[in-house]
């Protein structure tokens, strides 16, 4: 898919999923698949989540825009339950969440969240941390770590029975971690994950977008002209 | 398998249900935000549904080595910490007609909610108290469940702790623990649990629940120290047993089962042949070895009564309080610095 160029619109202006720029951005519906139970890192997780119980959200509508220096994704999906993880809401519930995943180095595998020496980079939004995204890296299942909480911006709104979440970051990031470095006019690989809190989805229990490029989807960041 | 394992033995024949252990733990460890409902140490009147309510039906642990699915306990099943309505009773305009009550709705559960219930039928009613902490298991379901490796079993002493920097609040540990002794801090969004007072242990001081116990119920020490009480009670005399061994986690907290009084017969006379606490109930808690333990305990009691000499009874009586702690007998006041926080 393509991230269209919207000159002069700052990322802060795009974080509102109802911002006018998004109305003109073409949206692509991407199918989601539950992660395989067998790939969950521990037996307890596999016992609690056999195949068929993972991946409650089946599709997500994705659009992307950039302003030459910042890139934003708008994710929209149907979700009747608003799981914000607010204290006292449901004390055995989990918050809804979504993330964009990039390879942090060429050849990083998607299904295993990277591998030693082959990191992946997630831009992560969670309903109980709305407004403040996380930049996450991983080099294999169970190894995610938050590298910063100020470069990824993410904001969600829930109406008409669904979430619309915008997640964005500068195309190029200053980080010692192995985070994605993107540029206008170039192609990149990405994937999307959605966690349905009311189904107990958290950690590796999620629905992911599997694309044609070794599991990745292609993103073309439009030229600036 | 780590180098060594710390363990605890609790003699249920001596527990008087005073909750000093619970309060000692609360004062030391669970006074921060989000910990209001947490009681890392609980004491329940048995038999009962326990804390959290019906925890024995929540699953987790292992069966034939296979991890079993479990469910998350709700805060209401532990019992929410309630507040008293001082304003309403002192300033509600009702003078002395109003009594101090609970703010908000009345709770329907709490820690040791069944304080005054027990089991059996009069005149053969019975009860005993059972304190519980984290079992610091040899095969800890919480450690094995965490997909992030955030729950750790310390190599040097087998204490199980949560690395709160690594924890992301996924709570798989909580459903996996068959004893439901993992707690979730809803404010900090991390798992928290009994730490066997490791900052005290590191200074040679026994855990607060053990040291503060006025009933001399709790023994502490390394599992393999043959000269110390734990080894003698668990391995030599075989009178201290894990709770629910069938959960497959190999607990390192052991219980001396309660012998209890004898029964009354239908004619109102004492019936020495029948224990007041049904054998099958103790077997349901501690497994079939509970019966062997009871035989040993009764025989050694008799020996002590008739001859005055029984190593086992002398151990359980704990004439010398400090000898209960397997060398962890320093006073906290004698220790200059206790590192309450994780070493970096």
């Amino acid at each position: 898919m393509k991230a269209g160029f919207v000159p002069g619109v700052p990322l802060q202006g795009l974080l509102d999923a109802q911002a006018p720029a998004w109305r003109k951005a073409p949206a692509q519906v991407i199918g989601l698949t539950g992660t395989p139970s067998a790939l969950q890192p521990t037996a307890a997780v596999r016992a609690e989540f056999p195949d068929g119980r993972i991946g409650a959200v089946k599709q997500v509508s994705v659009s992307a825009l950039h302003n030459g220096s910042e890139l934003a994704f708008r994710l929209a999906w149907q979700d009747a339950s608003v799981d914000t993880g607010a204290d006292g809401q449901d004390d055995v519930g989990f918050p809804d969440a979504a993330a964009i995943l990039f390879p942090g180095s060429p050849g990083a595998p998607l299904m295993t969240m990277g591998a030693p020496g082959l990191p992946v980079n997630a831009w992560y939004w969670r309903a109980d941390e709305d407004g403040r995204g996380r930049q996450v890296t991983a080099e294999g299942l169970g190894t995610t770590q938050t590298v910063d909480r100020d470069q990824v911006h993410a904001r969600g709104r829930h109406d008409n029975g669904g979430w619309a979440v915008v997640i964005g970051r500068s195309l190029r990031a200053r980080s010692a971690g192995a985070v994605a470095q993107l540029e206008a006019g170039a192609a990149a690989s990405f994937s999307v994950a959605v966690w349905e809190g009311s189904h107990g989805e958290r950690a590796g229990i999620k629905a992911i977008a599997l694309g044609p490029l070794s599991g990745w989807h292609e993103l073309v960041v439009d030229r600036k002209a | 398998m780590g180098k060594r394992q710390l363990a605890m033995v609790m003699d249920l024949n001596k527990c008087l249900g005073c909750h000093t252990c619970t309060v000692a733990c609360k004062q030391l460890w669970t006074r921060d935000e989000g910990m209001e409902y947490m009681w890392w140490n609980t004491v329940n009147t048995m038999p009962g549904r326990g804390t959290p309510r019906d925890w024995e039906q929540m699953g987790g642990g292992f069966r034939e080595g296979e991890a079993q699915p479990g469910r998350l306990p709700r805060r209401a099943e532990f019992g929410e910490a309630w507040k008293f309505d001082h304003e309403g009773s002192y300033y509600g305009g009702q003078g002395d007609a109003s009594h101090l009550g609970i703010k908000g709705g009345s709770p329907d559960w709490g820690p040791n909610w069944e304080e005054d219930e027990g089991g059996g039928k009069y005149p053969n009613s019975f009860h005993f108290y059972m304190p519980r902490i984290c079992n610091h298991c040899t095969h800890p379901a919480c450690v094995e469940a965490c997909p992030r490796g955030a729950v750790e079993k310390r190599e040097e002493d087998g204490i199980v702790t949560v690395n709160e920097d690594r924890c992301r609040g996924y709570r798989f540990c909580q459903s996996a623990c068959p004893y439901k002794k993992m707690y979730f801090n809803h404010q900090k969004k991390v798992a928290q649990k009994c730490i066997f007072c490791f900052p005290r242990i590191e200074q040679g001081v026994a855990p607060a629940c053990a040291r503060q116990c006025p009933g001399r119920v709790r023994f502490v020490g390394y599992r393999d120290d043959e000269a110390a009480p734990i080894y003698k009670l668990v391995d030599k005399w075989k009178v201290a047993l894990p709770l629910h061994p069938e959960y497959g986690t190999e607990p390192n907290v052991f219980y001396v089962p309660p012998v209890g009084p004898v029964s009354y017969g239908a004619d109102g006379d004492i019936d020495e042949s029948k224990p007041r606490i049904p054998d099958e109930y103790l077997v349901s808690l501690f497994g079939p070895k509970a019966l062997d333990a009871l035989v040993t305990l009764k025989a050694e009691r008799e020996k002590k009564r008739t001859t005055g000499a029984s190593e086992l009874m002398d151990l359980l009586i704990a004439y010398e309080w400090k000898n209960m702690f397997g060398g962890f007998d320093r006073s906290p006041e004698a220790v200059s610095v206790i590192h309450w926080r994780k070493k970096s």
Side-chain angles (χ1 to χ4, degrees), chain A residues 42 87 91 128 142 144 202, chain B residues 75 145 148 166 170-171 187:
Chain A
T42 73
D87 182 37
D91 64 26
D128 62 336
T144 57
R202 74 275 198 193
Chain B
R75 260 179 299 181
R148 297 178 59 76
R166 196 70 204 130
Y170 296 150
R171 302 177 72 179
Q187 268 74 52

Side-chain angles (χ1 to χ4, degrees), chain B residues 166-315:
Chain B
R166 196 70 204 130
C167 177
R168 285 284 279 134
Y170 296 150
R171 302 177 72 179
F172 289 112
C173 55
Q174 216 186 358
S175 40
C177 172
Y179 299 95
K180 294 298 171 273
K181 272 294 174 188
M182 186 66 84
Y183 295 79
F184 187 65
N185 185 317
H186 293 265
Q187 268 74 52
K188 289 182 75 182
K189 298 184 192 294
V190 291
Q192 295 178 323
K193 65 180 289 299
C194 160
I195 56 172
F196 209 81
C197 287
F198 74 80
R200 290 166 65 105
I201 286 287
E202 287 169 358
Q203 300 291 324
V205 182
C209 57
R211 195 177 161 92
Q212 297 300 111
C213 175
R216 303 193 183 184
V217 168
R218 301 190 188 213
F219 299 83
V220 173
Y222 286 116
R223 182 82 173 73
D224 59 354
D225 183 352
E226 296 188 15
I230 298 278
Y231 182 87
K232 288 180 182 167
L233 294 169
V234 176
D235 296 287
K236 183 178 176 189
W237 287 96
K238 297 181 172 31
V239 292
L241 304 164
L243 175 62
H244 289 304
E246 74 278 14
Y247 291 172
T249 62
E250 298 176 45
N252 287 299
V253 172
F254 301 87
Y255 294 92
V256 180
V259 176
V262 292
S263 290
Y264 289 104
D267 55 3
D269 282 342
I270 285 172
D271 179 357
E272 300 264 5
S273 70
K274 259 172 123 183
R276 192 88 69 86
I277 304 175
D279 283 346
E280 56 271 26
Y281 180 58
L282 294 177
V283 168
S284 76
L285 294 175
F286 305 111
K289 289 180 183 164
L291 301 180
D292 302 328
L294 291 175
V295 168
T296 305
L297 287 166
K298 284 180 195 163
E300 290 299 308
R301 268 189 189 182
E302 192 55 27
K303 201 165 118 195
K304 179 75 180 172
R305 188 180 295 129
T306 52
T307 70
S310 160
E311 183 200 40
L312 176 60
M313 284 302 126
D314 289 353
L315 260 174

Side-chain angles (χ1 to χ4, degrees), chain A residues 173-193:
Chain A
R174 295 177 314 279
S175 178
V179 302
Q181 302 293 354
L182 306 164
E183 58 182 306
S189 296
F190 81 104
S191 182
V192 177

Side-chain angles (χ1 to χ4, degrees), chain B residues 16-261:
Chain B
L16 46 133
C18 70
H19 299 268
T20 305
C21 47
T22 306
V23 174
C25 176
K26 187 78 187 161
Q27 290 290 339
L28 258 187
W29 299 119
T30 58
R31 297 176 69 186
D32 286 349
E33 198 191 3
M35 301 176 113
E36 296 85 353
Y37 85 103
M38 288 184 204
W39 301 88
W40 291 350
N41 184 103
T42 45
V43 183
N44 281 85
T45 303
M46 304 293 281
R49 297 167 73 186
T51 307
R53 183 174 56 209
D54 298 325
W55 61 273
E56 287 153 302
Q57 272 81 59
M58 289 183 188
F62 306 94
R63 197 177 299 146
E64 285 158 17
E66 296 285 315
Q68 299 297 304
R71 79 160 173 90
L72 291 175
R74 289 172 185 275
R75 260 179 299 181
E77 290 168 326
F78 288 99
E80 299 269 12
W82 65 72
K83 290 198 166 78
F84 288 99
D85 182 18
H86 293 94
E87 300 77 24
S89 56
Y90 295 150
Y91 307 109
Q94 297 188 62
D96 290 341
S98 157
H99 296 281
L100 184 59
I102 290 165
K103 215 173 188 169
S106 274
D108 65 358
W109 200 255
N112 199 26
W113 193 255
E114 302 150 300
E115 164 87 58
D116 56 0
E117 293 186 18
K121 257 190 161 170
Y122 178 84
N124 286 315
S125 42
F126 71 92
H127 78 278
F128 59 92
Y129 301 107
M130 190 165 70
R132 295 202 303 124
I133 61 172
C134 164
N135 286 311
H136 298 277
C137 302
T138 296
H139 189 194
C142 55
V143 172
E144 297 187 19
C146 180
R148 297 178 59 76
V151 193
E152 298 161 354
K153 187 165 176 67
R154 289 161 40 121
E155 185 78 9
E156 64 271 35
D157 53 23
I159 295 175
V160 175
T161 60
V162 176
N163 179 345
E164 290 184 20
D165 297 331
R166 196 70 204 130
C167 177
R168 285 284 279 134
Y170 296 150
R171 302 177 72 179
F172 289 112
C173 55
Q174 216 186 358
S175 40
C177 172
Y179 299 95
K180 294 298 171 273
K181 272 294 174 188
M182 186 66 84
Y183 295 79
F184 187 65
N185 185 317
H186 293 265
Q187 268 74 52
K188 289 182 75 182
K189 298 184 192 294
V190 291
Q192 295 178 323
K193 65 180 289 299
C194 160
I195 56 172
F196 209 81
C197 287
F198 74 80
R200 290 166 65 105
I201 286 287
E202 287 169 358
Q203 300 291 324
V205 182
C209 57
R211 195 177 161 92
Q212 297 300 111
C213 175
R216 303 193 183 184
V217 168
R218 301 190 188 213
F219 299 83
V220 173
Y222 286 116
R223 182 82 173 73
D224 59 354
D225 183 352
E226 296 188 15
I230 298 278
Y231 182 87
K232 288 180 182 167
L233 294 169
V234 176
D235 296 287
K236 183 178 176 189
W237 287 96
K238 297 181 172 31
V239 292
L241 304 164
L243 175 62
H244 289 304
E246 74 278 14
Y247 291 172
T249 62
E250 298 176 45
N252 287 299
V253 172
F254 301 87
Y255 294 92
V256 180
V259 176

